[in-house]
Amino acid sequence: MRRIVGLDSVFERRPLRVVALGALGAALAWAIVTTNIMPHVAERAPGVALLLASDNPNVVFGVVDRKINPDSAAESAAIVAPPAMSRSARDRLRRRAQSALLRSPLDARGLRILGQLAPEESAAADFMELAARHSLNEYRAHHWLLQKRLSEGRYAEALLSADIVLRTRPQLMPFIAPYLERMAEDRTASIALERMLARNPPWRERFLTHLPSIVSDVRAPLRLMLALKNTAHPAGAESQRRYFEFLFERRVYDFAYYAWRQLLPPERAQNEATLYNGDFAFPPSGSPFDWLLRSGAGARIDIASASEDSRALRIDYGPGRVAPHVAMQFIKLPAGAYRMAGRYRGEIAGRRGPRWRVACVNANGSIGESEMGMGRIRDWRHFEFEFIVPDKDCAMQSARLELDARSPSEWIVAGEISYADLKIEPIGEGAPSATVGGPSGAQ
C-alpha cells in the first residue's frame, strides 16, 4: 500500500509542503464553518457561536439582533425598543456591534442594529439612514424612517420608505397600512398619497382592499378612489367591491349608494329610479348596485347573447338536484309605488321555477314578486309586477332571481331560462292596482 500511495516518500522529500497544505486545508475548513455555518448556529445556540466565532461580524450581528428583536425570525415589521435591560447590558451589546462593524463597515444590518441601540434619536437617525441607503432589504430601518418622517410631516419621503417595505416585504401590509390610513385621513398628507397611488405601485390594490378594515373615516377610501378615477389606473373592481361590502356591513346604505354613483363612469350613469344595467350591456362589475351572480352546483348563471344586438341573464339548470343560487342587485328607491318588468323565455322542467322578488334589506319577506318561470316558453314573454316601497324601515331594497323551492324535492330541476330588458319604473302616487305577493313582511 505504501508503495502504491507513496505517502512516506512524499513526506520524507517535502515534509514542510505537506504540513503547509494540511494547515491550509484546516484553515479553509474553519473559514467555511465560521462563515457559512456559524450564522445558522447563532440562531439556535448564540453562546456557542460567539465562543467559536467571536470575530465573525455575521455571527455577532445575528446574536445581537435576536437579543434586541426576539421576533426577528418572523420578519414582522414591529420596530420596538430593546427588551427591558440594564444600561450596562445595552452598552455591552452596542460595543460588541460597534466592534463587529469595524470589521464589516458597510454591513446594513450592523448599521441598523446600532441605530436601534443608539442612546440618542439623532444618532439613531444617522445609522438608520445609512442602513437604508446600503440595503433595500433592511425593512426595519425603512420602517423606522417611515415612522420618523411621518411624525415630522415629511409625507413624500415617508411614502418612499413605505413603498420600499411593501415592495420587498409584501406580507407586511398589515403593519404598514395603518400609516397609510393616517395619511389618507389627513387632507394634506393625502395629496402625497394620491400621487403615489396614481403611479400604480404593485401593492396599491392590496392596500385599497385592506383599507376599509382599518379606516376610521368611511369617506377616506372614497376620496382616494375618486382621486384615481380619471387617471390611467383607476381603482380596481376588487377594491371597490370590498369597500361597498364594508359600507354595507356598517349599514350606511345612503352613503354606499352615493359612493357608487360617484365612482360610476359617466357613460354608465343612469336615472336613480331604474334597475342598473337592466339590459346587461356591461359586464357585471362586482358592485352590489350592479348584478351579483352567484352560481351553485347544477345551476350556472351567466350573461349570454339574446339576439344580434342584445344580451340577457341566463340560468342553466341540472339535470338533477341543484344548489342554492341567486342573481341579484341592491337598489335604492324612495317610498312609493313601482313596477318591475322585463321579458323571459326558456324551458324549465321541475316542480318549481325561478321567480323575481323585491324585498327591503334587513327585513323578512318580500314587497313584490313575479310569476314563476315554468314550462316551455319559446318566444319572448312579457312579465311585470307591482310593489310598494314603505316609508319606514326600507331605505335599501334588493331585486333577486332564484329558484322558488320550498322543499328538498323542489330543488330537482332541469332546463334553461333567460331574462332580458329588465327595468323598474315608478307608477305614480298611491298603491298600485295589484301587488303580487303583497307587502307582508316588509317591516
Side-chain angles (χ1 to χ4, degrees):
M1 178 66 72
R2 291 185 176 180
R3 290 193 186 96
I4 296 175
V5 179
L7 292 177
D8 286 349
S9 60
V10 171
F11 185 78
E12 289 173 359
R13 292 196 306 269
R14 301 182 180 87
L16 292 179
R17 179 177 295 181
V18 172
V19 172
L21 288 174
L24 179 60
L28 288 174
W30 182 248
I32 292 172
V33 169
T34 56
T35 302
N36 298 323
I37 299 178
M38 280 303 166
H40 300 287
V41 174
E43 296 180 2
R44 297 182 177 273
V48 174
L50 282 178
L51 181 64
L52 297 177
S54 60
D55 60 342
N56 186 321
N58 285 334
V59 171
V60 174
F61 293 144
V63 171
V64 175
D65 203 5
R66 288 182 66 83
K67 286 184 177 294
I68 64 175
N69 299 301
D71 61 344
S72 59
E75 292 192 347
S76 75
I79 301 295
V80 297
M85 61 178 69
S86 64
R87 176 175 295 182
S88 60
R90 292 188 59 188
D91 289 342
R92 281 196 301 271
L93 290 176
R94 186 166 63 253
R95 287 195 297 270
R96 181 167 286 174
Q98 287 172 336
S99 177
L101 193 64
L102 290 176
R103 294 189 290 274
S104 184
L106 299 182
D107 192 293
R109 178 166 64 162
L111 292 167
R112 185 260 302 162
I113 288 172
L114 286 175
Q116 288 187 263
L117 291 171
E120 299 177 356
E121 184 177 353
S122 59
D126 291 339
F127 280 116
M128 291 297 188
E129 290 278 4
L130 286 172
R133 291 176 189 173
H134 280 83
S135 176
L136 295 177
N137 290 314
E138 257 308 323
Y139 68 93
R140 291 180 183 274
H142 292 288
H143 181 246
W144 191 95
L145 292 171
L146 165 61
Q147 292 176 305
K148 179 174 174 58
R149 292 166 175 173
L150 187 58
S151 67
E152 295 173 350
R154 297 156 59 191
Y155 301 124
E157 295 175 76
L159 282 168
L160 289 177
S161 298
D163 184 42
I164 291 172
V165 174
L166 292 175
R167 286 174 184 266
T168 57
R169 293 289 194 280
Q171 70 272 24
L172 300 184
M173 175 61 76
F175 297 95
I176 303 301
Y179 300 106
L180 303 182
E181 181 267 338
R182 284 169 49 191
M183 297 183 68
E185 296 188 5
D186 182 285
R187 292 303 179 92
T188 302
S190 64
I191 297 175
L193 179 59
E194 290 165 7
R195 290 173 180 167
M196 171 66 78
L197 296 180
R199 294 198 289 269
N200 197 28
W203 48 265
R204 190 191 74 169
E205 279 303 296
R206 293 195 339 272
F207 166 64
L208 291 176
T209 303
H210 184 79
L211 181 59
S213 64
I214 59 173
V215 75
S216 58
D217 182 355
V218 299
R219 300 167 297 178
L222 176 61
R223 287 195 292 265
L224 290 180
M225 291 180 181
L226 286 177
L228 299 172
K229 179 178 178 180
N230 296 319
T231 67
H233 304 284
E238 178 61 20
S239 57
Q240 291 192 41
R241 183 193 64 78
R242 178 65 194 102
Y243 181 44
F244 291 127
E245 284 183 354
F246 161 75
L247 295 176
F248 268 64
E249 290 167 3
R250 295 287 185 93
R251 297 192 177 187
V252 285
Y253 302 127
D254 288 344
F255 184 75
Y257 188 77
Y258 167 80
W260 172 69
R261 299 286 303 178
Q262 292 296 305
L263 291 171
L264 271 179
E267 67 274 12
R268 298 194 183 187
Q270 294 185 352
N271 185 288
E272 296 185 9
T274 62
L275 202 64
Y276 178 71
N277 201 14
D279 57 359
F280 307 101
F282 306 110
S285 64
S287 163
F289 300 104
D290 197 352
W291 293 110
L292 301 174
L293 309 181
R294 303 286 186 261
S295 297
R300 185 169 60 89
I301 307 177
D302 204 355
I303 307 298
S305 175
S307 63
E308 293 183 358
D309 57 354
S310 65
R311 299 175 67 78
L313 175 68
R314 174 172 172 144
I315 307 180
D316 289 284
Y317 287 113
R321 188 180 302 276
V322 302
H325 54 279
V326 66
M328 66 171 297
Q329 179 180 140
F330 289 96
I331 52 180
K332 190 176 188 319
L333 304 173
Y338 297 87
R339 178 185 295 111
M340 180 172 180
R343 299 185 298 150
Y344 73 101
R345 70 180 179 186
E347 183 174 357
I348 297 294
R351 298 181 62 181
R352 306 285 287 183
R355 186 194 300 272
W356 284 99
R357 285 189 173 92
V358 176
C360 299
V361 174
N362 298 321
N364 295 322
S366 64
I367 54 177
E369 59 186 37
S370 73
E371 61 194 51
M372 281 193 298
M374 294 287 292
R376 177 181 296 180
I377 305 101
R378 293 183 176 178
D379 298 323
W380 287 106
R381 178 182 295 179
H382 177 81
F383 80 92
E384 66 178 52
F385 64 96
E386 299 174 354
F387 60 92
I388 295 177
V389 175
D391 57 2
K392 292 183 180 180
D393 303 321
C394 197
M396 185 71 64
Q397 309 86 33
S398 66
R400 54 194 300 133
L401 174 68
E402 53 195 343
L403 188 66
D404 192 28
R406 303 165 300 180
S407 64
S409 64
E410 292 176 349
W411 287 99
I412 300 175
V413 63
E416 57 83 19
I417 191 167
S418 298
Y419 290 87
D421 299 326
L422 302 177
K423 58 184 177 181
I424 294 178
E425 296 178 328
I427 56 175
E429 298 181 359
S433 57
T435 304
V436 181
S440 61
Q443 299 302 318

